[in-house]
């Protein structure tokens, strides 16, 4: 399986996302230019220009018409996917760490960091008709995190767009009711910062990755921890295959702790675990630095990884992957 190397970012990749059909791959990096690529041949369609800081998060709605990005320049941008023009820009008080469209595509949320005497806040906005006035419009909902709740590091929409699941810097996971504007439940299964959370294709479970060297599978309704996938080094991203009962993990050491290592050292592999048996069954080499973000293609026949080395790699599975069975 020869990978496609998507080269275009000057700095480390922060997040990658497929659209619903899987023909487009969106990437954000620390070089302030989110990009969109054809996932089939790795050709770059274009960039979304407007940010002036590291872009931390990117998401596309299910019709592939709108894109939302949040960055360290304290702005959230909404873009037209087709033309690359900025539809709206929302100024924030601190850098924007996470952003996501709801499943319906009518709402989006983003969260800001705790910095410069501003608390960590979560905003829900209406994105049905976006124009320049969105920069001054009030959010539909605003939740402020207190000291115990710590900074939000990743977020997901829950079922029916009625709840939001947040992962925090102290390792806790919380589920919020958006109608009643209150916290429904919180769990502390992870012991270090949550780095990424991704839903399964049917939305009943999600996998969370953490700096405590593990990824865990949770029920998205009750936040019950179902499975744990352990590794020796921090996990930066994890995703669930839409095709098989497989979980892929990516990580490596922190960017600050990386010394000159060869790619053969096996530190920066993508690792595949069986969802039910929690056993590792495959590794894929490739990146020359930690993997920061991973995503399965919606058809489950390929996956993409974005690394600290600034490359996005798209790997298509060989036929042996489909024949592999657990004894």
């Amino acid at each position: 399986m020869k990978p496609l190397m998507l080269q275009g970012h000057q700095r480390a990749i922060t997040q990658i996302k497929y659209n619903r059909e899987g023909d487009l791959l969106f990437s954000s990096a620390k070089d302030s230019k989110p990009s969109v690529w054809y996932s089939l041949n790795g050709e770059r369609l274009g960039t979304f220009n407007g940010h002036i800081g590291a872009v931390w998060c990117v998401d596309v709605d299910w019709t592939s018409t709108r894109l939302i990005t949040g960055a360290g320049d304290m702005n959230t941008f909404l873009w037209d996917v087709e033309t690359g023009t900025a539809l709206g820009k929302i100024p924030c008080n601190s850098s924007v760490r996470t952003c996501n469209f709801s499943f319906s595509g009518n709402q989006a949320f983003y969260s800001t960091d705790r910095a410069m005497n501003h608390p960590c806040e979560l905003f829900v906005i209406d994105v049905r008709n976006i124009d320049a006035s969105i920069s001054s419009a009030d959010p539909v909902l605003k939740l402020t995190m207190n000291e115990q709740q710590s900074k939000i590091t990743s977020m997901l929409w829950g079922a029916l767009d009625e709840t939001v699941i947040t992962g925090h810097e102290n390792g806790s996971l919380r589920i919020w009711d958006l109608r009643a504007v209150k916290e429904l439940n919180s769990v502390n299964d992870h012991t270090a910062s949550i780095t990424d959370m991704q839903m399964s294709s049917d939305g009943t479970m999600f996998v969370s990755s953490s700096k405590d060297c593990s990824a865990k599978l949770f029920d998205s309704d009750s936040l019950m921890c179902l499975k744990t996938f352990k590794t020796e080094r921090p996990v930066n991203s994890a995703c669930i295959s839409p095709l098989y009962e497989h979980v892929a993990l990516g990580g490596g050491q922190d960017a600050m702790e990386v010394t000159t290592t060869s790619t053969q050292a096996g530190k920066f592999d993508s690792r595949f675990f069986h969802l039910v048996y929690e056993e590792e069954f495959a590794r894929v080499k490739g990146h020359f630095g930690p993997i920061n973000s991973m995503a399965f293609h919606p058809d489950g026949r390929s996956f993409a990884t974005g690394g600290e080395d600034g490359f996005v790699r798209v790997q298509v599975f060989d036929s042996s992957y489909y024949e592999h069975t657990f004894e």
Side-chain angles (χ1 to χ4, degrees):
M1 71 186 196
K2 189 172 183 311
L4 289 171
M5 297 275 285
L6 277 51
Q7 189 175 7
H9 286 292
Q10 263 83 48
R11 293 187 60 202
I13 308 294
T14 51
Q15 195 171 28
I16 52 174
K17 286 258 176 88
Y18 281 102
N19 66 344
R20 192 174 59 124
E21 290 78 27
D23 59 333
L24 299 177
L25 180 62
F26 295 86
S27 61
S28 64
K30 292 181 184 172
D31 62 1
S32 77
K33 286 197 174 135
S35 300
V36 54
W37 317 74
Y38 281 121
S39 63
L40 191 65
N41 58 5
E43 182 190 341
R44 177 147 83 163
L45 268 165
T47 59
F48 299 90
N49 301 342
H51 281 295
I52 50 169
V55 184
W56 293 116
C57 51
V58 62
D59 192 34
V60 60
D61 68 352
W62 67 283
T63 54
S64 303
T65 50
R66 307 268 174 81
L67 188 79
I68 184 169
T69 55
D73 60 8
M74 307 197 287
N75 284 310
T76 302
F77 270 85
L78 289 141
W79 311 85
D80 184 320
V81 168
E82 193 181 353
T83 60
T85 52
L87 300 170
K89 166 181 167 182
I90 306 167
C92 307
N93 290 328
S94 55
S95 62
V96 183
R97 186 64 51 183
T98 63
C99 62
N100 258 321
F101 282 106
S102 68
F103 186 75
S104 66
N106 293 341
Q107 292 176 308
F109 64 52
Y110 59 93
S111 75
T112 59
D113 281 355
R114 204 176 115 207
M116 300 175 294
N117 296 335
H118 292 289
C120 169
E121 292 177 317
L122 185 162
F123 298 89
V124 179
I125 51 171
D126 192 318
V127 290
R128 274 174 291 203
N129 34 13
I130 307 169
D131 52 30
S133 69
I134 197 164
S135 61
S136 55
D138 289 330
V140 179
L141 179 74
K142 178 169 130 183
L143 290 167
T144 305
M145 303 293 134
N146 59 28
E147 291 287 325
Q148 294 93 34
Q149 287 162 336
S150 86
K151 182 178 103 177
I152 295 175
T153 51
S154 70
M155 268 203 296
L156 289 172
W157 281 92
L160 301 172
D161 298 352
E162 289 173 359
T163 54
V164 160
I165 303 163
T166 56
H168 296 258
E169 200 171 33
N170 60 6
S172 63
L173 291 167
R174 297 169 196 277
I175 187 162
W176 305 82
D177 185 327
L178 296 181
R179 303 243 165 104
V181 198
K182 67 173 200 285
E183 186 183 320
L184 295 175
N185 193 5
S186 72
V187 291
N188 290 329
D189 289 289
H190 282 293
T191 55
S193 175
I194 309 277
T195 48
D196 189 24
M197 303 195 300
Q198 294 194 33
M199 276 283 177
S200 62
S201 53
D202 59 4
T204 54
M205 338 176 253
F206 67 92
V207 65
S208 64
S209 59
S210 168
K211 290 192 174 156
D212 64 6
C213 307
S214 72
K216 291 178 191 280
L217 187 74
F218 290 92
D219 182 279
S220 59
D221 201 30
S222 64
L223 295 189
M224 188 171 104
C225 182
L226 307 170
K227 302 281 172 190
T228 301
F229 311 97
K230 291 192 176 74
T231 67
E232 315 73 74
R233 38 186 69 89
V235 187
N236 292 340
S237 191
C239 48
I240 304 173
S241 166
L243 194 60
Y244 294 118
E245 293 179 330
H246 294 166
V247 176
L249 273 59
Q253 314 109 302
D254 246 343
M256 293 179 287
E257 291 154 25
V258 176
T259 49
T260 48
T261 50
S262 70
T263 178
Q264 269 71 39
K267 287 188 166 66
F268 311 128
D269 301 355
S270 313
R271 307 169 69 153
F272 287 80
F273 285 77
H274 195 279
L275 184 80
V276 181
Y277 304 131
E278 306 179 0
E279 278 181 25
E280 187 178 349
F281 65 87
R283 287 189 183 194
V284 179
K285 287 187 173 21
H287 283 284
F288 289 94
I291 293 172
N292 288 340
S293 185
M294 293 187 84
F296 267 104
H297 190 286
D299 68 3
R301 297 182 180 278
S302 62
F303 73 101
T305 55
E308 191 72 27
D309 53 8
F311 287 102
V312 178
R313 295 171 72 97
V314 179
Q315 306 257 6
V316 180
F317 291 116
D318 291 339
S319 55
S320 57
Y321 174 76
Y322 308 107
E323 293 150 13
H324 176 81
T325 54
F326 267 83
E327 278 75 40

